[in-house]
Amino acid sequence: MNFTLASDDIQIIIHLVSALTAGAIIGLERSFHGRPAGFRTHALVCLASSLLMMVTMYQSRWIPAGIAIETIRTDPTRMAQGIMTGIGFLGAGVIFKEGLSVRGLTTAASIWITAAIGVLMGIGFYMPAILATALTLATLSIFRWIEARMPAHFYAHHFVRFAREEVMPEPLFKAFLAEHGFTVANMSQRLTDDGLFYEYRMVIRTHKPENLSKIAVTLRQMPSVRAFGISPTGD
């Protein structure tokens, strides 16, 4: 029994394998950096986008014989819009809030661009799809290297708890932070535990991330400090 592939079948295989490869390559970068949506997720997103686009590209293969193709023709642009809308729900699933920080935005964006690449692979638009894959990898890897070396501000959510009778006055506390290389924003104050403790809560900013460790060491050595927390924000 001879088994031969039609030219359309070969083209479909190329579409799917190309989409799977592009998604897997982008997913490898995400997995390498320990993101929850990584190798398999991106590969499946790109493959699924390609499959759905081929539903509109190869209508003649699945429409029953005797039915005019014009009567049930699907619009490829609407299919692409539906794919990208559905990917929004998946992208939202990898974004989470940790305290006042929001994480997962870059992974959500990578899922979105992977779906777009899958759409391009599905319609056989290989040149822009391959270029988009390369540019996506450059954005996720090379741009990360550039971003790490750019001058930037580092933010953290900070609180310090004093015993009520040992509170450091606000001007002195701000001067203490300034000596360690920090500026202060959104400072709030409150009494806790039935008035036993007094807390300062704020967002602090510095140009050097190592200042976070230095101020933690200093606070740990201060007898009047009963508790403190430093939570760096992330992107």
Side-chain angles (χ1 to χ4, degrees), residues 156-161 202 204 219 227-231:
H157 301 284
H158 180 40
F159 84 89
V160 179
R161 177 182 295 175
M202 70 213 78
I204 55 177
L219 290 170
F228 70 91
I230 302 174
S231 303

Side-chain angles (χ1 to χ4, degrees), residues 126-201:
Y126 294 117
M127 190 280 289
I130 293 171
L131 180 59
T133 302
L135 292 175
T136 301
L137 286 174
T139 302
L140 292 174
S141 55
I142 298 175
F143 282 24
R144 176 190 295 273
W145 182 86
I146 295 173
E147 187 177 38
R149 286 156 180 77
M150 289 175 58
H153 289 134
F154 298 90
Y155 292 85
H157 301 284
H158 180 40
F159 84 89
V160 179
R161 177 182 295 175
F162 296 93
R164 185 173 182 175
E165 64 278 3
E166 298 176 338
V167 177
M168 182 183 295
E170 181 181 339
L172 291 180
F173 186 68
K174 287 184 175 180
F176 164 77
L177 292 173
E179 290 174 0
H180 287 78
F182 291 96
T183 56
V184 181
N186 302 324
M187 175 178 279
S188 63
Q189 307 173 38
R190 66 176 185 174
L191 283 171
T192 63
D193 298 308
D194 295 326
L196 294 177
F197 300 104
Y198 195 87
E199 285 186 0
Y200 292 117
R201 290 182 176 267

Side-chain angles (χ1 to χ4, degrees), residues 2-14 61:
N2 293 327
F3 179 76
T4 58
L5 292 174
S7 59
D8 279 354
D9 293 328
I10 295 174
Q11 192 64 39
I12 288 171
I13 292 172
I14 293 174
R61 298 290 299 273

Side-chain angles (χ1 to χ4, degrees), residues 9-234:
D9 293 328
I10 295 174
Q11 192 64 39
I12 288 171
I13 292 172
I14 293 174
H15 286 322
L16 296 180
V17 172
S18 300
L20 183 67
T21 302
I25 290 172
I26 296 172
L28 278 174
E29 193 279 339
R30 295 284 83 193
S31 289
F32 178 77
H33 290 98
R35 298 301 186 264
F39 179 65
R40 292 181 298 171
T41 302
H42 284 74
L44 289 174
V45 165
C46 202
L47 179 61
S49 301
S50 181
L51 277 170
L52 291 172
M53 284 307 298
M54 285 195 295
V55 170
T56 63
M57 296 300 296
Y58 293 93
Q59 297 176 66
S60 60
R61 298 290 299 273
W62 55 268
I63 293 177
I67 299 178
I69 191 172
E70 289 79 8
T71 61
I72 56 173
R73 181 180 297 275
T74 56
D75 185 354
T77 60
R78 290 188 178 182
M79 178 64 78
Q81 291 172 0
I83 292 171
M84 301 313 291
T85 300
I87 289 301
F89 291 97
L90 184 60
V94 300
I95 300 173
F96 61 95
K97 188 175 181 181
E98 183 180 12
L100 298 177
S101 303
V102 178
R103 298 180 182 272
L105 293 172
T106 302
T107 299
S110 71
I111 291 175
W112 190 36
I113 188 66
T114 300
I117 292 170
V119 170
L120 293 177
M121 292 293 191
I123 64 176
F125 214 12
Y126 294 117
M127 190 280 289
I130 293 171
L131 180 59
T133 302
L135 292 175
T136 301
L137 286 174
T139 302
L140 292 174
S141 55
I142 298 175
F143 282 24
R144 176 190 295 273
W145 182 86
I146 295 173
E147 187 177 38
R149 286 156 180 77
M150 289 175 58
H153 289 134
F154 298 90
Y155 292 85
H157 301 284
H158 180 40
F159 84 89
V160 179
R161 177 182 295 175
F162 296 93
R164 185 173 182 175
E165 64 278 3
E166 298 176 338
V167 177
M168 182 183 295
E170 181 181 339
L172 291 180
F173 186 68
K174 287 184 175 180
F176 164 77
L177 292 173
E179 290 174 0
H180 287 78
F182 291 96
T183 56
V184 181
N186 302 324
M187 175 178 279
S188 63
Q189 307 173 38
R190 66 176 185 174
L191 283 171
T192 63
D193 298 308
D194 295 326
L196 294 177
F197 300 104
Y198 195 87
E199 285 186 0
Y200 292 117
R201 290 182 176 267
M202 70 213 78
V203 176
I204 55 177
R205 182 181 69 182
T206 183
H207 290 286
K208 299 179 180 180
E210 59 269 21
N211 286 344
L212 297 172
S213 298
K214 292 178 180 178
I215 196 171
V217 171
T218 303
L219 290 170
R220 191 169 65 242
Q221 296 172 348
M222 294 174 63
S224 60
V225 174
R226 299 304 176 90
F228 70 91
I230 302 174
S231 303
T233 59

